[in-house]
Amino acid sequence: MVKHKVIQAVAGAGKTYAITHNLDSDKRYLFLTYTNGNVSNLQRGLVDSHADANKYIVSTFPKFIIDWVINPFKPVLVPEGVDAYIGFSSYPPVDDSREPGYYTQDKVFERLSKFVDEVVVDEYQDLTGKDLKILAQLMKQKYVDVTLVGDVYQSQVQKSEQKTVAPYSGSWQDIEQVLYKTFGKRIEIDTESMKVSRRIGHGVARFIQDKLDIAITSDGRHVGEVHISKSVEDVETILGKKPIILVWDSKIKVPKEFVSLNWGYSKGDTLSLVLIVLTKVTENYLFHSHDDTLNSGTRNKLYVALSRSENDVHLVTSDLWKTYLKHKNI
């Protein structure tokens, strides 16, 4: 009987290492992810793990659809009576099971099982729209095991050309119900094996838990706390340590001698020291009216920003940052 699992992996949990170094030597794997950059990360991890190169394939999700779903069944797309097939046509597909050329989606997954024992989808939370619908069908088939690994709280943090957004919002209970509704009631949801971050300190983990209600802990290998700047002098002291400055977007001014990143674009980065310039919305939520809620996109970007540093995280309000810039004539 096949097993389908969803693993919630918090920021800094060592997700790539875990999924590339803990392989069953008797299994054949297909690794899928959304970006070419992450394909490279997975390939490096697999090489580092000395995994048998004959027992795994790494691909982007779109390439998987072309290579495994479309190309093997391309011959049945050729309309009857057409001598030369030069591409897709306007002919409707065969939808009558009594007619030749009719294939169920089970045929796709049954064929996949001849070459693959387990599909591992990394950063699954980045798949939306029709990609998500195909992923849902993959999670409901009965031929190969499927493991989804990612952090639902890091969805919606980067701009995308896709018009749809990931459906994971609200509390964990809400998200859990979405997972069951999307991928089926029989899936196993694992929130324990990758809830410990190797990147952030205990103090930062507690802050994220208390303020954002995200279950994350620290393994303690790094010591980091969250500090709130009270004055221009505080800001100058912190900047003297050359932190990476994380801002909501590029409209926020940063002195040219410092490196800055947008909150969302810092996803995947591990930084030594971080200063976060808050927005009015996030500082009101964190310090003044915690009973209010952040929309999931804003919460997730703040979570990404807070979980980048191996050491301390310094928070600066938008007004104090403007005062500092004015003080420096910037």
Side-chain angles (χ1 to χ4, degrees):
M1 183 176 178
V2 298
K3 295 181 180 179
H4 299 326
K5 179 187 294 187
V6 179
I7 302 176
Q8 166 62 10
V10 301
K15 168 176 58 65
T16 301
Y17 183 92
I19 63 178
T20 58
H21 284 68
N22 298 317
L23 305 182
D24 184 335
S25 61
D26 293 328
K27 277 188 171 185
R28 301 161 299 171
Y29 289 87
L30 173 60
F31 289 88
L32 302 177
T33 190
Y34 192 68
T35 66
N36 287 318
N38 214 41
V39 165
S40 297
N41 291 338
L42 290 168
Q43 289 172 331
R44 283 193 295 268
L46 289 162
V47 170
D48 181 65
S49 73
H50 303 291
D52 184 347
N54 295 312
K55 289 194 172 183
Y56 67 81
I57 299 171
V58 186
S59 171
T60 62
F61 197 80
K63 190 173 187 298
F64 158 73
I65 294 172
I66 293 170
D67 291 348
W68 294 83
V69 179
I70 296 176
N71 282 343
F73 298 93
K74 191 180 289 183
V76 306
L77 300 176
V78 181
E80 185 178 353
V82 175
D83 294 329
Y85 179 66
I86 59 174
F88 294 107
S89 71
S90 60
Y91 287 85
V94 177
D95 58 5
D96 188 336
S97 61
R98 297 168 297 181
E99 297 292 331
Y102 177 84
Y103 277 78
T104 65
Q105 66 182 17
D106 268 9
K107 289 289 184 182
V108 175
F109 301 124
E110 183 179 11
R111 178 186 179 278
L112 179 63
S113 70
K114 298 181 184 299
F115 304 94
V116 174
D117 300 305
E118 182 170 353
V119 178
V120 179
V121 184
D122 189 25
E123 302 284 14
Y124 79 91
Q125 78 280 348
D126 292 336
L127 298 175
T128 61
K130 292 182 179 179
D131 289 336
L132 180 58
K133 290 182 180 180
I134 294 172
L135 181 62
Q137 293 303 317
L138 184 62
M139 286 290 281
K140 294 173 183 176
Q141 52 73 41
K142 59 185 179 181
Y143 297 99
V144 296
D145 295 341
V146 183
T147 299
L148 309 185
V149 189
D151 187 349
V152 291
Y153 298 112
Q154 293 191 62
S155 64
Q156 306 178 45
V157 300
Q158 293 176 325
K159 289 184 179 179
S160 171
E161 294 180 356
Q162 299 188 72
K163 294 181 180 179
T164 56
V165 298
Y168 318 112
S169 61
S171 66
W172 173 252
Q173 289 74 20
D174 296 330
I175 292 171
E176 193 173 48
Q177 291 308 306
V178 169
L179 293 174
Y180 283 126
K181 182 177 180 180
T182 304
F183 301 125
K185 293 290 186 181
R186 295 183 179 180
I187 64 170
E188 175 188 343
I189 298 177
D190 176 0
T191 59
E192 295 297 317
S193 63
M194 293 192 195
K195 75 174 184 179
V196 180
S197 176
R198 303 189 299 178
R199 178 190 299 142
I200 62 176
H202 289 302
V204 178
R206 283 193 299 270
F207 188 88
I208 292 172
Q209 286 189 72
D210 293 343
K211 298 294 187 179
L212 301 184
D213 195 25
I214 293 175
I216 184 172
T217 60
S218 168
D219 70 354
R221 71 179 63 190
H222 295 290
V223 178
E225 300 286 342
V226 176
H227 303 275
I228 304 165
S229 299
K230 302 293 186 181
S231 65
V232 169
E233 290 73 23
D234 285 347
V235 176
E236 290 179 328
T237 298
I238 298 156
L239 291 178
K241 300 177 183 179
K242 298 296 182 182
I244 303 298
I245 300 174
L246 301 184
V247 296
W248 175 259
D249 58 31
S250 57
K251 295 178 183 178
I252 298 173
K253 292 182 180 180
V254 173
K256 61 183 180 180
E257 64 266 30
F258 295 99
V259 176
S260 67
L261 294 170
N262 291 7
W263 293 4
Y265 292 160
S266 69
K267 177 184 174 184
D269 292 338
T270 295
L271 307 174
S272 178
L273 185 65
V274 162
L275 182 150
I276 301 174
V277 180
L278 297 171
T279 64
K280 283 289 187 181
V281 170
T282 53
E283 66 189 60
N284 285 338
Y285 175 79
L286 291 175
F287 307 126
H288 303 302
S289 54
H290 189 57
D291 290 338
D292 294 341
T293 58
L294 292 175
N295 67 60
S296 57
T298 302
R299 175 201 61 191
N300 294 358
K301 289 178 183 179
L302 180 57
Y303 164 58
V304 166
L306 287 166
S307 59
R308 295 308 96 195
S309 178
E310 290 182 321
N311 296 291
D312 289 341
V313 174
H314 295 272
L315 304 181
V316 179
T317 65
S318 56
D319 285 343
L320 179 55
W321 186 248
K322 289 175 183 176
T323 301
Y324 164 76
L325 295 176
K326 185 177 181 180
H327 178 73
K328 290 295 185 179
N329 296 316
I330 297 174

